[in-house]
Amino acid sequence: MIDALLEHFAFDARVVREARAVAPVLARNDGGVNAAVRARVLAAFVAEGIAAGDLSGTFGYGYDDLARTRYESLLARVLGAERALARLSLVSGTHAMVATLAACAPPGKQLVVASGRPYDTLRNALVDAPNSLVERGLAYDEVELGSDGGIDHVALARACAASPAAVFVQRSRGYAPRRSLSVAECGAAIATVKRVAPSALVVVDNCYGELVEAREPTEFGADLVVGSLIKNLGGTLAPGGAYVAGNAAAVARVADYHYAPGLGAALGPTLGFGRAFVQGLFLAPLVLAETLAGLDFFAALFARFGYAVDPAPGAARTDIVQAVRLGDPGRLVLFARGLQRAMSLDARFEPEPGEVPGYRDPVVMSSGAFVAGSTLELSCDAPLRAPYEVYVQGGAVREHAVLGALFAANALAQEGRLCAD
């Protein structure tokens, strides 16, 4: 693959040498995880038995939208949930998460965050922004991660002693210098919560993690899982939307909050996109296998140049985010500009750091997705703050991710900043 790409592009000799050295990582398998995920998705499709005529969908209010009904049932099967709410009107993972937490922990009730500071846009909506949930009366408690980067179960049990209404667990790193949590670690946190506060609803932010591991947090007792439909589950085809899945009564509660009590999940047209949602989910395991292979190449290549990377090359992955610690803002910008040159769309543009709603610091991003915000497609985000990490996401075709890694490394090489200090 490397040599085929080199026929079309010229790169710094050091980039070429190290890329060839790490090319064998692209042939690694995942120990059968993706095979188990593919079987899971296929079994759900067979059990659901969707017909072509089910996919036409509705407009307007969306009453009796068969595409929505069948897709949500299919998604619930895939995620091991009793019920799913998957809607275009939930415009992002953050939107779905805030709606879920507001429904589960209304004003006057307590929310405990079990996994340290949430990612920027969610923390902003919960605590910092005007009209945040805290400003509306939510009692908020944040439990820092342990010294190993995992859940601090002693501190979590202490925080849950007051019987919170809901407990939040963030599975992915969320553009922060912390590791992502495995499904098993999420499950251990759920067990701690249920032992101390059995009535608390445990909500897991599943974004970036769906179908990466063989099991989902619902199978470990999560009451709800929440995420975006234009990331893992969308298979690059879903045009928008987000989902909430899990306990049927809890999902109904979120639907009442999102729409209106008494209407709940009865509304919500699919606007003719039913086919894209269903086909995207069918293809998702295939796309994720490509994504994970490409991210492993990123890790291996930049580790060769002396950068700290997480996950390490060959390590088990729990989401579709690869962190590379570049060490200073100049390298972040060079990396982003190099990666942008490999994009399917907008490759001629040069990213500049700027303010992004919900983020505490300026952010430089690379993106050229066919669906805006679809980080299952190749992209990166880099907040300009210490320790100056770039977070590479997605890569629906492994060759595209490899090309992006080569362009990013070459941009650093051209400015004499390829190797870590």
Side-chain angles (χ1 to χ4, degrees), residues 31-99:
V33 172
N34 191 254
V37 169
R38 292 187 195 206
R40 178 192 192 103
V41 172
L42 289 173
F45 268 86
V46 170
E48 189 62 32
I50 297 174
D54 295 337
L55 302 179
S56 57
T58 62
F59 296 86
Y61 291 135
Y63 288 120
D64 302 315
D65 189 308
L66 194 56
R68 182 190 71 222
T69 300
R70 301 310 298 271
Y71 176 67
E72 289 181 341
S73 178
L74 175 68
L75 186 60
R77 291 181 189 274
V78 168
L79 294 175
E82 290 181 356
R83 185 177 178 185
L85 180 79
R87 303 301 167 97
L88 285 164
S89 56
L90 292 166
V91 298
S92 70
T94 299
H95 179 199
M97 184 57 65
V98 172

Side-chain angles (χ1 to χ4, degrees), residues 11-297:
F11 297 106
D12 182 273
R14 292 168 297 172
V15 174
V16 172
R17 182 178 66 249
E18 299 303 338
R20 284 177 169 150
V22 302
V25 305
L26 294 164
R28 290 177 182 156
N29 63 52
D30 62 359
V33 172
N34 191 254
V37 169
R38 292 187 195 206
R40 178 192 192 103
V41 172
L42 289 173
F45 268 86
V46 170
E48 189 62 32
I50 297 174
D54 295 337
L55 302 179
S56 57
T58 62
F59 296 86
Y61 291 135
Y63 288 120
D64 302 315
D65 189 308
L66 194 56
R68 182 190 71 222
T69 300
R70 301 310 298 271
Y71 176 67
E72 289 181 341
S73 178
L74 175 68
L75 186 60
R77 291 181 189 274
V78 168
L79 294 175
E82 290 181 356
R83 185 177 178 185
L85 180 79
R87 303 301 167 97
L88 285 164
S89 56
L90 292 166
V91 298
S92 70
T94 299
H95 179 199
M97 184 57 65
V98 172
T100 298
L101 294 177
C104 294
K109 300 293 185 179
Q110 183 188 24
L111 169 68
V112 170
V113 175
S115 46
R117 184 186 180 95
Y119 63 90
D120 283 22
T121 54
L122 181 59
R123 180 59 156 66
N124 191 53
L126 293 176
V127 179
D128 301 321
N131 302 310
S132 69
L133 296 192
V134 166
E135 188 174 294
R136 297 178 192 176
L138 175 70
Y140 179 87
D141 190 10
E142 202 170 273
V143 179
E144 293 301 313
L145 291 167
S147 58
D148 65 347
I151 300 292
D152 184 337
H153 291 273
V154 173
L156 176 59
R158 189 182 308 120
C160 289
S163 297
V167 176
F168 169 77
V169 181
Q170 181 177 306
R171 182 173 169 186
S172 185
R173 69 181 63 246
Y175 310 151
R178 50 156 285 192
R179 65 178 177 85
S180 299
L181 300 177
S182 69
V183 172
E185 287 178 297
C186 293
I190 294 163
T192 295
V193 173
K194 294 298 185 181
R195 175 174 55 81
V196 179
S199 65
L201 293 174
V202 182
V203 181
V204 176
D205 180 356
N206 212 25
C207 214
Y208 301 106
E210 301 97 339
L211 306 183
V212 172
E213 297 186 68
R215 300 178 71 187
E216 296 292 328
T218 42
E219 298 172 80
F220 286 83
D223 294 290
L224 293 169
V225 292
V226 183
S228 170
L229 293 174
I230 60 172
K231 295 180 171 61
N232 298 29
L233 296 173
T236 76
L237 296 183
Y243 75 91
V244 182
N247 175 282
V251 172
R253 187 170 171 176
V254 177
D256 281 343
Y257 181 90
H258 178 58
Y259 290 106
L263 295 178
L267 299 174
T270 52
L271 305 176
F273 290 112
R275 186 176 303 279
F277 284 121
V278 172
Q279 188 176 8
L281 183 53
F282 182 80
L283 294 175
L286 174 64
V287 177
L288 285 166
E290 294 290 292
T291 295
L292 297 177
L295 292 176
D296 209 35
F297 182 86

